[in-house]
Amino acid sequence: MNKILVLRLGHRIERDKRVSTHVGLVARAFNADGIIYSGEFDNNLINSIKKVIEKWGGPFLVSYTPDWKREIKNLRDKGFVIIHLTMYGINLPDVIDSIKSEFFDKKKNLVVVVGSEKVPRDLYEIADYNVAIGNQPHSEIAALAVFLDWLFEGKELLKTFNNAKIRIIPSARGKKVVVKNSKSSNT
Ligand code: SAM
């Protein structure tokens, strides 16, 4: 089965703590297979995603690269298609069919790159697709969520994880959760 990795560039320990964590959580919840962080190495960030995987299930890869350019080149050599999310790119509705064809028909792996503060110029050249989620500035979390949602056409919202210790039973009111090896609880 072909895969989708997210590459999060330029993590800054102090400023990006929550945003980088949320990029990882969205990647996992919206059906990507893993996240690679670049920028400042941050053990707390990696551990916080791993704790979610331990409790809510996987598999989901979490790793760090000190050299984003080398990482992208390695992935490209392995056949990954490089998709850079940027407000300067071609708008999503105009390019989603080509990307769907790469993923679903040609069975190519994708790497979806999101930036933080300043994205290096080279990336625009290296990318196979520079994709805008609207041509207005907003957020890497939102951009990633919308991209994955368009790719999977909402089916990612029904994703389940087999090895989860905890699972939510959707309910109209209240909170219903099942904890592995225990009965369901209502709170
Ligand atoms: N000013 C930065 C630059 O020069 O690229 C962008 C900073 S923005 C807060 C962080 C990241 O969010 C971007 O690198 C991009 O991946 C994503 N992003 C923000 N708005 C976007 C949009 N309209 N379309 C696609 N991605 C977007």
Side-chain angles (χ1 to χ4, degrees):
M1 181 64 187
N2 48 329
K3 295 200 177 314
I4 300 181
L5 294 179
V6 173
L7 175 60
R8 197 291 196 261
L9 300 185
H11 172 69
R12 299 156 296 179
I13 292 177
E14 275 316 308
R15 289 189 57 181
D16 293 328
K17 254 192 298 233
R18 282 171 60 79
V19 174
S20 293
T21 303
H22 289 180
V23 171
L25 295 183
V26 163
R28 175 186 165 278
F30 284 54
N31 212 22
D33 298 280
I35 185 158
I36 304 168
Y37 289 102
S38 188
E40 293 176 3
F41 177 74
D42 185 351
N43 217 15
N44 290 333
L45 168 64
I46 290 175
N47 285 339
S48 69
I49 306 285
K50 285 189 173 166
K51 272 188 199 154
V52 171
I53 298 165
E54 207 184 303
K55 190 168 170 186
W56 292 89
F60 186 75
L61 171 104
V62 189
S63 75
Y64 171 78
T65 179
D67 185 344
W68 67 268
K69 215 185 277 186
R70 200 180 58 195
E71 188 70 39
I72 286 188
K73 285 181 178 159
N74 284 343
L75 291 170
R76 163 173 272 174
D77 291 347
K78 289 182 190 160
F80 277 73
V81 175
I82 298 153
I83 294 165
H84 170 215
L85 301 186
T86 166
M87 64 179 173
Y88 301 104
I90 303 294
N91 223 325
L92 184 65
D94 298 324
V95 81
I96 190 67
D97 287 345
S98 303
I99 295 173
K100 278 184 177 168
S101 168
E102 304 267 20
F103 187 70
F104 294 109
D105 303 333
K106 298 180 196 158
K107 308 282 182 217
K108 298 256 186 90
N109 295 313
L110 310 182
V111 54
V112 183
V113 188
V114 293
S116 53
E117 194 179 41
K118 181 105 183 91
V119 172
R121 185 73 228 165
D122 300 5
L123 180 56
Y124 293 83
E125 304 305 322
I126 297 170
D128 296 298
Y129 297 88
N130 288 292
V131 180
I133 313 298
N135 301 113
Q136 301 295 321
H138 49 82
S139 139
E140 48 273 56
I141 305 167
L144 179 63
V146 170
F147 175 78
L148 292 172
D149 185 60
W150 274 56
L151 182 67
F152 292 114
E153 299 177 347
K155 295 181 190 78
E156 80 287 354
L157 301 179
L158 302 175
K159 183 179 172 82
T160 55
F161 293 87
N162 287 337
N163 54 350
K165 288 184 183 150
I166 183 163
R167 187 166 58 83
I168 289 171
I169 299 173
S171 45
R173 284 192 185 74
K175 301 177 190 172
K176 205 180 235 186
V177 295
V178 177
V179 181
K180 206 173 170 187
N181 297 329
S182 81
K183 291 183 188 145
S184 68
S185 71
N186 287 297
T187 54

